[in-house]
Amino acid sequence: MRWVVFLLIFLLFTSCSNKAIDGKTEVLSNDKLEKDKVIIENKVLDKDEINNQRSDNIKFKKILFIGDSHIASDYMSNYFRNALNIHYLGFIPPDLPKWHNQYLVKYNNENFNINYLINTKNNLAFSGINAVCNNDCKININLDFTPKNIEYLELKNNIWSFKKYTKITQNINFNVKNNTTIGGFFSNNQTFIDSIGINGASIFNYDRINKNIQKIAAKKLNYDLVIFSFGTNESVADTINSDEFLFKFNNLIKIFNSAKIILLIPPEPVIYKDKVYVKGKNNDNIKKLIKKLAEQNQVNVFDIDELMQKEGGKQEWIKQNKSLKNTHLTKQGYDYVASKLLKYLDKI
């Protein structure tokens, strides 16, 4: 009888102390354990717990976050990757402007100029970013995942075309000749979570993207969930054209009409005036327009601002380190919103 008890204790101890990977046993250090923890609703959970809790519940496997600076940090999208255990990109921007982020990509490109929504008015590729070569250039991009079959967008003589990159590798590396523009890469993986946010983006400047390329890329990537984040920059503008807002946003939604759509209402947009932050004068109108748009297209709305206000408003979120004083959230705040958004996905 004693040897049975001893055996049970031994098995219990080893199962709690070690992690089995591909038939091998890996002892997890404290550092490894700390990296594998995230916070959901003030409770610390291991990533394995999150995966077990949600991976089977969430049916979406090809997800796109698209829009403004709330997306450009890659915070919410990367939270989704960890929670859903999907660590791949379907679309890889050719490069990034300053103050933008992609967790799964490291850029070491040489001699490119970056044209994007804020400094260029037309013929931008799918993500709203073009890498333009006017002198001998080099693409050098390191990925934290292995793509299945890389293709990329190339612009020459004002004509976009798809090119194949023959290597199956985590390092995309090739020379680019003068007067050539690279518009981004397609991994052709089966699951992925993409983020193509631009600081300063609004529905009014998003039509600077080449519509034909946008439609082709959307069809090729075949997202099953698209999460839109627009309304912040529109809210703090002096004036907006409501009809134009609805028209342009409608056209963008139609490009992804095969996907489930969620429209985010941004957290209380503010602007810095006279040494203080004040609410955008169009906040209420933009919220109404987004809800109207959702009703017209029979799509879903996730109201981040309502979540913030129910929990005490912006000042309370600042105290809780969920929001900055400006219009953005902290990483903790974006992670918190992403956790709520995941729960919302269970219901739709």
Side-chain angles (χ1 to χ4, degrees):
M1 184 66 183
R2 287 182 180 178
W3 69 268
V4 173
V5 174
F6 176 81
L7 179 61
L8 288 172
I9 293 172
F10 175 78
L11 289 173
L12 178 63
F13 176 80
T14 54
S15 66
C16 293
S17 303
N18 301 310
K19 179 182 178 183
I21 301 178
D22 296 332
K24 298 179 181 179
T25 300
E26 175 193 14
V27 179
L28 298 181
S29 67
N30 288 334
D31 288 342
K32 177 78 165 72
L33 287 169
E34 283 299 314
K35 288 178 182 177
D36 279 346
K37 289 180 179 178
V38 294
I39 297 173
I40 297 180
E41 295 182 331
N42 300 319
K43 180 184 178 184
V44 177
L45 297 177
D46 291 331
K47 285 182 182 178
D48 285 343
E49 291 182 73
I50 296 171
N51 292 338
N52 291 336
Q53 182 182 21
R54 292 203 171 98
S55 291
D56 293 336
N57 297 333
I58 304 300
K59 59 188 175 184
F60 305 107
K61 303 300 180 185
K62 297 180 178 181
I63 301 172
L64 173 65
F65 287 77
I66 178 173
D68 53 26
S69 53
H70 294 299
I71 304 300
S73 65
D74 201 25
Y75 288 153
M76 288 194 289
S77 35
N78 202 54
Y79 186 97
F80 266 53
R81 293 184 197 114
N82 290 329
L84 302 180
N85 199 26
I86 299 175
H87 300 283
Y88 303 97
L89 299 179
F91 182 84
I92 304 144
D95 212 325
L96 294 178
K98 288 182 179 180
W99 316 118
H100 291 69
N101 184 48
Q102 287 278 342
Y103 276 103
L104 299 184
V105 187
K106 184 177 181 181
Y107 294 94
N108 299 293
N109 297 337
E110 297 177 14
N111 297 334
F112 285 97
N113 293 323
I114 300 177
N115 288 359
Y116 70 119
L117 282 177
I118 308 307
N119 65 13
T120 303
K121 293 187 176 180
N122 56 58
N123 212 12
L124 292 166
F126 180 63
S127 64
I129 301 171
N130 290 352
V132 182
C133 182
N134 295 319
N135 194 3
D136 289 342
C137 304
K138 186 174 183 179
I139 286 285
N140 186 3
I141 299 174
N142 291 312
L143 306 175
D144 283 352
F145 64 95
T146 302
K148 183 178 179 182
N149 181 21
I150 300 173
E151 297 173 277
Y152 63 95
L153 283 166
E154 182 183 86
L155 179 67
K156 276 188 177 181
N157 300 319
N158 210 35
I159 298 173
W160 284 106
S161 60
F162 283 84
K163 302 289 184 180
K164 289 189 178 294
Y165 184 72
T166 55
K167 299 177 182 177
I168 305 298
T169 175
Q170 289 183 260
N171 176 246
I172 306 173
N173 194 315
F174 61 92
N175 295 321
V176 178
K177 295 181 179 179
N178 296 352
N179 302 315
T180 302
T181 295
I182 305 299
F185 300 82
F186 298 82
S187 72
N188 287 297
N189 287 75
Q190 297 303 306
T191 62
F192 41 81
I193 299 177
D194 290 344
S195 171
I196 53 173
I198 300 287
N199 293 334
S202 77
I203 207 65
F204 298 110
N205 61 26
Y206 220 77
D207 60 359
R208 297 176 178 183
I209 295 173
N210 183 300
K211 285 292 180 289
N212 189 44
I213 286 297
Q214 200 173 40
K215 290 176 182 176
I216 293 171
K219 185 175 180 180
K220 187 177 184 65
L221 291 158
N222 194 29
Y223 295 108
D224 50 25
L225 174 66
V226 179
I227 300 168
F228 289 93
S229 175
F230 289 101
T232 295
N233 295 300
E234 296 88 339
S235 291
V236 299
D238 289 334
T239 60
I240 62 161
N241 184 318
S242 296
D243 291 336
E244 187 180 4
F245 179 88
L246 291 171
F247 176 76
K248 290 190 172 185
F249 211 155
N250 263 310
N251 287 342
L252 184 57
I253 289 172
K254 288 175 183 175
I255 291 172
F256 301 95
N257 59 7
S258 65
K260 178 73 76 175
I261 301 292
I262 296 178
L263 308 182
L264 300 181
I265 292 179
E268 192 176 299
V270 296
I271 189 168
Y272 195 67
K273 282 187 176 181
D274 300 324
K275 298 182 179 181
V276 294
Y277 285 101
V278 296
K279 289 184 180 181
K281 61 173 64 176
N282 299 306
N283 286 15
D284 292 339
N285 187 32
I286 287 296
K287 289 184 76 167
K288 290 177 183 177
L289 291 174
I290 291 174
K291 290 178 180 179
K292 182 177 181 179
L293 193 69
E295 187 177 349
Q296 289 175 346
N297 289 276
Q298 296 185 323
V299 299
N300 303 278
V301 173
F302 184 82
D303 193 335
I304 303 173
D305 189 53
E306 184 180 86
L307 175 64
M308 174 188 279
Q309 302 311 324
K310 282 182 177 179
E311 296 182 356
K314 188 172 183 66
Q315 292 305 314
E316 184 60 30
W317 271 30
I318 291 172
K319 289 178 185 178
Q320 295 177 14
N321 195 33
K322 291 178 185 173
S323 177
L324 300 172
K325 291 181 180 180
N326 62 26
T327 203
H328 301 112
L329 304 182
T330 62
K331 183 181 184 301
Q332 180 178 320
Y334 285 117
D335 285 352
Y336 178 71
V337 170
S339 72
K340 292 290 189 179
L341 185 53
L342 275 171
K343 284 190 173 182
Y344 176 74
L345 287 178
D346 282 338
K347 302 174 183 177
I348 64 173

